[in-house]
Amino acid sequence: MSRTITKAAVIGSGVMGSGIAAHLANAGIPCVLLDIVPKTLTAEEEKAGLTLDHPKVRIRLAAKALAGLPKSSAMPLYSPDFVKRITPGNIEDHLHLLREADWIIEVVTERLEIKKSILSLIESVRKEGAIVSTNTSGISVNEMAEDCSEEFRRHFLGTHFFNPPRHMKLLEIIPGFDTDPEITAFMAEFCEKRLGKGVVIAKDTPNFISNRIGTYGLLVTLKEMIENGYTVEEVDAATGPVLGRPKSATFRTLDLVGIDTFVHVARNVYDNVPDGAEKDVFTVPDVMKELVTRGWTGEKGGQGFYKKVKGEQGSKILSLDLSTMEYNPSAKVSSPSLEAAKAVKGSRKKIKEFLGTPDRYSELAWNVMKQVLVYSAEKLGEIADSIADIDNAMKWGFNWELGPFETWDLIGLPKSVQRMEAEGLTVPAWVKEWIAAGHETFYQQKDEGLFHYFKGEYKGVEEKPEMISLRALKSQNRIIRSNTGANLIDIGDGVACLEFTSPNNAIGADILVMIQQSVEEVRANYRGLVIANEGRHFCVGANLMLMLMEAQSGDWDEVDDIIRLFQGSMMKLKSLEKPVVAAPHQMTLGGGVEACLPADQIVFSSETYFGLVETGVGLIPAGGGCKEVALRISDSQPDPESDLQPAINKMFETIAMAKASKSGHDAIRMGYGRPIDTVVMNPDYRIYEAKQAVLAMDRAGYMPQQPGHARVVGREGRAVLQMGVLGMKQSGYISDHDLLIAKKLAHILSGGDVPAGTIVTEQHLLDLEREAFLSLLGEAKTQQRMQHMLAKGKPLRN
């Protein structure tokens, strides 16, 4: 039976419910959002003369939640307009709307009896075959549905979204005893492809996978801290990036999550596990109970393990002394092990260096890590059947770089087990049997692919064609060309991929040279080119340090050569006789945008923060960014009598104010996208989708882009732009230097000193870019902005 989800419904409009509804809307799925009918009027409703029976009052909770979505700092929507895909209602007047839903999600209070009553309501109206799921962080899925019919239970399962639903990759799917395996498989595939989630299959146990292991790890860390006298800062220094964990480490994470929330999650395990030793671990420490009692619950309470205070010198961070319950200025933590880890790049090297340099901080990390590894092994089969699901749950739910079993492989499985046992830990029998059988790792890379431990033997990790791994392809010797900043990789079917590899993927001469070499290679031997990488960010721009150094040394010929090389490389990409598709993700700024704009198509990841932001460092885009914007505006209005000014005004403001998109959809809305450009929900699919776009263009008989010409608004349009910025300067919104930059930008976008309606070439616009860039780079205030960005990572307004 073919199944699809075209409409959905969410019951419960709190933070999670409204966030899930927003993400369904992001995926293009119309959704109904229902909540209870309010029992009292607000002051505003009373003033307006409304009663509890008024329709607006009766849907107030859901309507208020929807109104808050576009304004939320968590940015649950890819585009503010997507809120229109959600219809508010209440569970009394609008329950019948559930009959139209293919998927109904219950997201009400975490209390079993309330959830059971909501499921009963759903069952009374749902259409046969509709999938129903519960978003719960730990209540038993089977207990929830025990009073429902067999047909209902076959279509019922847990879908544990992590908060915020848009941004957190992990989705734990928890089938019940009676869930139809086909429903489980369908939901796993649908949520991965359509919602962009990293899906793991969990068992119906307290807190499932990620929260079970993550909570355990946080509690053993706190225990080690209290017993051995570590400070809050010391623990965070030893349990953050040096262990392949987020910067928030232990206590900043607890402050972000909410200490009261963490206590609730820990108590859920304590209340539902029979084993005495495990209960002991999940006993909430008195200090955490005290923090909750005092209301020191973290960020939402204004203070927790850390507290931010304002003083004469600005804000400063205080940390809590657990022995006195007083706050003191945070102290910088340093040691040989921490410095050894900081000196190397990459999580794997950091972990090895850190644990391999003995001192009290690496000892703390080892004492915590060994317990988490053993606990993860103990729970295999209970919380999940697959070590890959456990590893992925921790990577996607807690943002660990490596999962527990991947970490165990990294530090050496046989050797670490010997040490654990020598230190009194009981390692699960299956681990020792695995080692005794001659295995030294849980994962193994073979010619046929990646394998992992599964029930006493190596099992192949399912390789999905939609997930193209450049790392795996490189290990298979698929690199065609390589230099210090980039690789050209054969990704199959006659398609090559240009991958940036420089620090932060910043564009320097090495990448530009590789672009030109890639063009020649693809022209001769391949069907097309994809531009993509697997870095944390696609590209943060051009190499700012290089430009600043050349400017300060006065080597202007060298700067001019670099700009010409940049512009020429982008033009070679654009004129290549084979299709080129760019697949940006995460931060794609400045030069990164300019590397995408010449492509025949852009496949945006849904999480792409895309923008020409050079004005933030006192410059203007000079790699063809302004030129491409002017061309696109001209091409979008082929009628020579149409007015280009409104579109030019909009893009001028976007670039002048260094605006970046908040998503891939937002990049298109801002004017950086064309009708052919697309957005892919799952970032792991973007290289595949870009490759498919190349192949489709090739099969259709690709026609290369011809040299472009732009109709421009000329000096008359430039005057309009400059009048606007002069008004901002006179009102005190911008500085003299901002005004100078804006005038340069206006000169380029308007086409220079030509009459309105003039048709100009691409080279004309590139020359304007280069001239403006060189003149601004020579300005002392621009160099100050560049230095400030390099040192502080944020713009200077001077």
Side-chain angles (χ1 to χ4, degrees):
M1 174 183 169
S2 177
R3 181 180 288 275
T4 187
I5 292 173
T6 57
K7 290 185 179 180
V10 176
I11 302 180
S13 66
V15 172
M16 280 304 296
S18 61
I20 291 169
H23 199 57
L24 292 169
N26 287 336
I29 302 168
C31 178
V32 174
L33 180 63
L34 306 183
D35 212 314
I36 61 172
V37 176
K39 292 182 171 56
T40 58
L41 293 170
T42 65
E44 292 80 5
E45 288 167 344
E46 286 183 352
K47 187 176 179 181
L50 303 181
T51 68
L52 289 173
D53 293 328
H54 194 284
K56 282 189 176 180
V57 175
R58 292 178 70 80
I59 67 165
R60 183 219 306 152
L61 296 179
K64 184 178 179 183
L66 291 192
L69 289 176
K71 307 169 190 171
S72 170
S73 59
M75 292 187 293
L77 294 164
Y78 290 153
S79 175
D81 288 345
F82 289 179
V83 76
K84 296 172 185 173
R85 297 172 179 171
I86 309 172
T87 303
N90 67 65
I91 58 175
E92 293 181 20
D93 305 328
H94 305 102
L95 199 65
H96 64 279
L97 295 177
L98 300 189
R99 293 193 186 104
E100 302 173 14
D102 304 302
W103 179 16
I104 303 165
I105 312 171
E106 168 275 305
V107 199
V108 300
T109 306
E110 286 282 86
R111 286 171 56 187
L112 179 60
E113 291 308 315
I114 293 177
K115 286 185 176 286
K116 289 177 80 168
S117 69
I118 292 296
L119 293 186
S120 177
L121 278 177
I122 293 171
E123 186 170 24
S124 71
V125 295
R126 70 178 270 274
K127 65 183 179 184
E128 185 175 348
I131 296 169
V132 181
S133 71
T134 174
N135 184 76
T136 175
S137 58
I139 295 178
S140 170
V141 170
N142 288 297
E143 284 186 46
M144 247 184 264
E146 62 186 0
D147 298 330
C148 297
S149 69
E150 182 187 350
E151 193 274 339
F152 184 97
R153 295 198 304 275
R154 283 206 316 272
H155 295 84
F156 179 70
L157 70 170
T159 48
H160 180 209
F161 289 83
F162 275 60
N163 191 30
R166 166 186 168 178
H167 298 284
M168 292 300 291
K169 183 173 182 176
L170 179 61
L171 174 65
E172 293 176 321
I173 288 184
I174 310 100
F177 295 140
D178 300 316
T179 307
D180 185 337
E182 289 186 5
I183 296 295
T184 303
F186 166 77
M187 288 299 289
E189 182 180 14
F190 178 85
C191 292
E192 181 184 288
K193 288 188 175 180
R194 192 71 183 273
L195 301 186
K197 292 298 168 190
V199 176
V200 299
I201 305 300
K203 297 199 174 187
D204 189 18
T205 54
N207 290 9
F208 313 127
I209 302 174
S210 187
N211 278 343
R212 182 75 168 268
I213 293 174
T215 304
Y216 176 90
L218 288 165
L219 286 168
V220 296
T221 302
L222 195 59
K223 185 171 180 286
E224 284 291 323
M225 171 192 185
I226 293 169
E227 288 181 355
N228 295 295
Y230 291 97
T231 66
V232 164
E233 305 98 301
E234 287 176 324
V235 171
D236 275 356
T239 57
V242 294
L243 269 191
R245 310 282 170 80
K247 289 181 181 179
S248 56
T250 298
F251 293 113
R252 290 190 192 279
T253 296
L254 283 168
D255 279 355
L256 287 168
V257 168
I259 296 166
D260 53 339
T261 301
F262 176 80
V263 167
H264 169 76
V265 172
R267 279 179 176 155
N268 187 55
V269 181
Y270 179 88
D271 292 339
N272 289 284
V273 293
D275 176 61
E278 194 170 5
K279 267 193 183 297
D280 288 345
V281 175
F282 283 93
T283 301
V284 177
D286 290 339
V287 66
M288 298 197 82
K289 294 177 186 174
E290 177 64 21
L291 287 170
V292 174
T293 300
R294 294 187 183 202
W296 297 359
T297 53
E299 279 206 353
K300 63 184 176 184
Q303 60 196 90
F305 289 102
Y306 290 97
K307 181 180 180 180
K308 189 175 184 179
V309 296
K310 291 182 179 178
E312 293 180 6
Q313 309 290 312
S315 297
K316 60 181 179 178
I317 304 296
L318 307 179
S319 61
L320 185 65
D321 183 335
L322 300 191
S323 62
T324 63
M325 296 301 284
E326 293 179 353
Y327 288 95
N328 301 307
S330 292
K332 185 174 172 57
V333 180
S334 182
S335 79
S337 65
L338 294 170
E339 295 308 313
K342 289 175 185 175
V344 296
K345 294 187 181 297
S347 295
R348 292 175 177 271
K349 290 181 180 178
K350 285 184 183 297
I351 293 168
K352 279 194 162 186
E353 286 293 328
F354 180 48
L355 295 177
T357 309
D359 61 24
R360 68 189 300 262
Y361 299 116
S362 58
E363 182 183 2
L364 165 65
W366 165 254
N367 286 340
V368 170
M369 178 187 285
K370 68 182 180 183
Q371 294 180 75
V372 172
L373 298 185
V374 167
Y375 185 72
S376 300
E378 288 174 351
K379 295 300 138 188
L380 182 67
E382 179 184 333
I383 62 176
D385 286 329
S386 162
I387 66 166
D389 276 342
I390 292 176
D391 279 347
N392 286 332
M394 299 316 299
K395 289 189 289 186
W396 297 337
F398 274 71
N399 293 317
W400 292 8
E401 291 288 335
L402 300 175
F405 296 98
E406 291 172 323
T407 302
W408 219 333
D409 281 357
L410 176 70
I411 64 175
L413 179 58
K415 182 173 150 187
S416 62
V417 166
Q418 284 182 353
R419 181 178 174 186
M420 290 171 184
E421 291 191 308
E423 293 173 358
L425 274 182
T426 302
V427 177
W430 74 264
V431 176
K432 292 193 284 185
E433 289 166 4
W434 183 246
I435 295 171
H439 303 295
E440 296 191 352
T441 58
F442 293 115
Y443 290 88
Q444 190 174 84
Q445 185 71 50
K446 302 181 182 181
D447 291 340
E448 313 93 277
L450 181 65
F451 289 72
H452 67 77
Y453 171 90
F454 187 78
K455 297 183 178 179
E457 60 184 19
Y458 276 122
K459 176 185 176 183
V461 176
E462 181 187 2
E463 293 188 358
K464 299 178 180 178
E466 299 92 347
M467 294 187 180
I468 294 176
S469 167
L470 298 181
R471 180 181 294 176
L473 290 171
K474 286 186 285 187
S475 71
Q476 296 166 20
N477 298 316
R478 300 280 285 275
I479 295 178
I480 305 163
R481 289 175 176 266
S482 182
N483 67 18
T484 54
N487 297 313
L488 185 66
I489 304 166
D490 182 347
I491 59 174
D493 299 313
V495 181
C497 179
L498 174 63
E499 174 198 38
F500 301 164
T501 60
S502 62
N504 293 317
N505 289 335
I507 296 177
D510 46 6
I511 288 179
L512 297 174
V513 168
M514 182 56 68
I515 288 173
Q516 302 215 14
Q517 291 178 351
S518 297
V519 166
E520 297 306 317
E521 184 72 41
V522 170
R523 177 181 288 125
N525 300 309
Y526 289 84
R527 297 169 69 182
L529 178 68
V530 167
I531 305 173
N533 62 68
E534 294 171 333
R536 183 180 174 194
H537 301 290
F538 177 79
C539 176
V540 297
N543 188 327
L544 204 59
M545 175 66 81
L546 173 65
M547 288 293 184
L548 180 60
M549 288 172 61
E550 298 290 2
Q552 290 178 332
S553 65
D555 198 344
W556 296 108
D557 288 341
E558 181 67 21
V559 176
D560 187 66
D561 287 345
I562 292 171
I563 301 169
R564 288 179 186 274
L565 177 62
F566 200 133
Q567 293 181 343
S569 300
M570 299 306 116
M571 288 298 288
K572 281 182 179 288
L573 273 179
K574 187 171 183 178
S575 61
L576 177 61
E577 297 88 346
K578 305 290 179 72
V580 178
V581 178
H585 68 285
Q586 294 291 322
M587 286 174 63
T588 305
L589 305 175
V593 171
E594 292 176 310
C596 294
L597 293 180
D600 297 289
Q601 183 176 342
I602 301 176
V603 176
F604 292 98
S605 166
S606 54
E607 298 296 342
T608 305
Y609 318 124
F610 197 87
L612 294 168
V613 297
E614 285 86 346
T615 59
V617 289
L619 296 167
I620 52 91
C626 297
K627 178 261 294 182
E628 283 296 321
V629 164
L631 279 173
R632 290 183 181 197
I633 291 173
S634 175
D635 290 345
S636 69
Q637 299 188 45
D639 180 355
E641 299 303 317
S642 63
D643 186 5
L644 300 175
Q645 194 72 48
I648 287 288
N649 291 351
K650 179 184 173 185
M651 286 309 300
F652 171 74
E653 179 183 330
T654 296
I655 299 171
M657 297 184 70
K659 293 180 181 179
S661 72
K662 296 178 173 62
S663 69
H665 290 92
D666 197 36
I668 293 173
R669 181 192 63 80
M670 288 170 67
Y672 286 119
R674 300 155 296 184
I676 193 174
D677 297 332
T678 59
V679 180
V680 61
M681 286 291 286
N682 192 321
D684 296 334
Y685 287 14
R686 62 196 162 76
I687 297 176
Y688 170 84
E689 294 295 345
K691 176 183 170 182
Q692 296 310 305
V694 166
L695 293 173
M697 282 188 264
D698 178 64
R699 285 192 298 267
Y702 175 73
M703 295 291 291
Q705 297 185 56
Q706 299 303 309
H709 294 81
R711 179 167 60 95
V712 296
V713 294
R715 61 178 75 96
E716 294 89 343
R718 181 182 64 193
V720 172
L721 297 176
Q722 291 184 350
M723 278 178 60
V725 292
L726 278 170
M728 293 181 70
K729 171 64 180 67
Q730 290 165 359
S731 301
Y733 290 113
I734 62 173
S735 67
D736 287 333
H737 197 52
D738 292 325
L739 178 61
L740 174 65
I741 299 163
K743 284 183 174 181
K744 300 277 187 184
L745 178 62
H747 184 68
I748 302 165
L749 291 180
S750 63
D753 193 17
V754 297
T758 299
I759 307 296
V760 300
T761 64
E762 291 189 68
Q763 190 58 54
H764 173 81
L765 293 169
L766 289 173
D767 290 341
L768 294 179
E769 284 186 3
R770 192 176 68 257
E771 291 162 8
F773 186 94
L774 286 166
S775 66
L776 285 170
L777 188 58
E779 295 282 338
K781 288 188 176 181
T782 285
Q783 294 181 20
Q784 290 167 10
R785 289 190 180 192
M786 295 169 74
Q787 286 175 321
H788 191 271
M789 178 61 75
L790 288 165
K792 305 288 186 182
K794 54 187 179 182
L796 170 70
R797 301 311 303 266
N798 58 354

